[in-house]
Amino acid sequence: MNKSLPWQHKAALTEDRLNTIARAFLEVHNGVIERLSTSDDCNYTRGATFFGRCRNRLISMAQSSSYPWLTLGAGGMDITCEISGVPFRFFRDDHESPKKKGFWRRNASDQLFAPDDETPVIFRFIVERPVNDENDPEIYFVGYNSTEIAVTEWRYGQVVVLQSLDETIPAAVEQQPAHIGVRNDENDRQSDTGTMK
């Protein structure tokens, strides 16, 4: 099944808003790696700190007037925020095969029933652990249908590839050869020094 982009289902889920939240997760990740790289740290201490700091960052952002589109739905340990009324949660997991406890648990703000299999009913930000400390994590925003199948997916930093929606092949455009000339060294020296003769 081809996955659509989140804003094709919910107009509130703009790429700019998703970028804002993903950048916050990336900043937290980089801060944790920078500060917790001692011999006393391990994946557990970094993971717990990452979760706690992301949770606090989202709460702070939701309470800030800088992000009027972001609100706090539930501020407990399984924090739920909303982007203009669309609820989401975040996890540090594998976006293709999530395994974290509570990942599929729905709360009162999730849409419980959908009219079809292409409609997402739960949304999750998923931060995938990088292979090593030199790499950044991959951050996804995924919408799942009522049977827990991903139907919409966006990745932070993803390069958008344009594709044709029909079979029409654009007409070829003839391009003239580039103008080539001999440089005049005297004029180049004058423009480099900013003086005119």
Side-chain angles (χ1 to χ4, degrees):
M1 177 186 297
N2 281 340
K3 296 180 191 93
S4 56
L5 294 166
W7 49 87
Q8 293 174 309
H9 294 278
K10 305 280 186 184
L13 301 175
T14 65
E15 188 166 26
D16 186 49
R17 291 173 178 179
L18 299 179
N19 273 323
T20 298
I21 295 170
R23 267 193 304 273
F25 290 147
L26 187 58
E27 287 172 10
V28 169
H29 167 80
N30 291 339
V32 167
I33 294 300
E34 182 181 318
R35 289 174 185 86
L36 300 181
S37 296
T38 70
S39 59
D40 295 327
D41 292 303
C42 63
N43 284 338
Y44 176 79
T45 61
R46 285 186 286 271
T49 304
F50 173 79
F51 175 82
R53 289 183 181 180
C54 284
R55 177 184 172 276
N56 293 338
R57 177 75 63 97
L58 283 175
I59 292 171
S60 175
M61 289 172 69
Q63 293 173 341
S64 166
S65 59
S66 299
Y67 311 99
W69 46 266
L70 184 65
T71 56
L72 184 61
M77 286 312 286
D78 66 346
I79 183 174
T80 301
C81 287
E82 297 179 5
I83 299 174
S84 293
V86 179
F88 72 89
R89 293 175 58 206
F90 79 94
F91 290 85
R92 191 167 200 170
D93 210 339
D94 175 2
H95 87 284
E96 291 183 340
S97 181
K99 306 250 185 298
K100 290 280 185 179
K101 183 179 179 182
F103 187 92
W104 298 112
R105 185 175 56 238
R106 297 186 192 174
N107 56 34
S109 58
D110 288 322
Q111 181 181 343
L112 297 178
F113 301 101
D116 56 53
D117 285 341
E118 277 87 47
T119 302
V121 294
I122 59 173
F123 292 96
R124 302 290 187 249
F125 265 102
I126 303 169
V127 181
E128 285 192 358
R129 191 181 314 270
V131 256
N132 58 46
D133 290 343
E134 287 77 41
N135 293 334
D136 286 334
E138 290 191 5
I139 303 171
Y140 294 87
F141 185 77
V142 184
Y144 298 89
N145 68 12
S146 57
T147 57
E148 301 175 355
I149 295 173
V151 293
T152 182
E153 179 180 292
W154 169 87
R155 183 170 59 93
Y156 177 67
Q158 175 177 329
V159 176
V160 177
V161 177
L162 300 177
Q163 63 184 24
S164 176
L165 298 176
D166 57 24
E167 300 298 319
T168 306
I169 298 174
V173 176
E174 191 171 320
Q175 198 168 0
Q176 298 299 321
H179 176 71
I180 299 174
V182 177
R183 289 176 51 168
N184 180 337
D185 288 340
E186 182 64 29
N187 287 341
D188 288 344
R189 277 193 296 269
Q190 290 172 359
S191 64
D192 287 344
T193 61
T195 59
M196 298 298 273
K197 221 176 187 186

